[in-house]
Amino acid sequence: MGERWCTVTVIEQSGRRHSVDVLASSTFDAAHIFVTHAKADPRNGIPRLSMESVFEVTVGGKVHRVEGKALQQWILKEREERKGPRGILFSRRPTLDDFPR
């Protein structure tokens, strides 16, 4: 799949929704870019993300759910498999473990 615009949403326990539009190559990539955005500026109001977080990725009118635990596994797998300049850039993105407790 080529890169497509997606909307990634995380819902707080109180019901408040936080959404970001991203250009991504997959639903997991979209959720990972959301994590990167959330980590980049803690003042953006996005709640602390964890392995229990659930990301709703909307692309082409369909909603896909990405669970935090599955996303973390995908990130670690991709870090091992990606090589070259793209692999180096990918490895600089945060994981869900990188958020302060």
Side-chain angles (χ1 to χ4, degrees):
M1 167 175 136
E3 290 187 332
R4 297 176 67 181
W5 283 103
C6 312
T7 301
V8 183
T9 303
V10 169
I11 304 170
E12 287 185 49
Q13 288 185 351
S14 66
R16 184 172 178 201
R17 303 172 69 83
H18 301 271
S19 299
V20 175
D21 291 332
V22 301
L23 186 62
S25 59
S26 71
T27 55
F28 280 92
D29 188 39
H32 193 203
I33 293 169
F34 183 94
V35 169
T36 302
H37 175 74
K39 179 71 175 173
D41 185 4
R43 297 171 297 168
N44 59 20
I46 296 173
R48 186 181 66 81
L49 302 172
S50 69
M51 301 280 202
E52 288 75 40
S53 299
V54 177
F55 303 86
E56 292 180 350
V57 180
T58 305
V59 59
K62 295 183 181 179
V63 178
H64 305 271
R65 292 173 52 93
V66 176
E67 295 191 14
K69 188 173 182 178
L71 176 61
Q72 181 74 2
Q73 291 171 346
W74 178 84
I75 293 168
L76 297 176
K77 178 179 156 265
E78 291 294 312
R79 281 185 170 183
E80 289 179 14
E81 292 179 0
R82 291 189 184 202
K83 306 292 182 217
R86 292 190 82 178
I88 292 169
L89 290 175
F90 186 88
S91 69
R92 292 182 181 161
R93 288 191 200 169
T95 65
L96 289 172
D97 287 341
D98 293 338
F99 284 85
R101 302 279 176 226

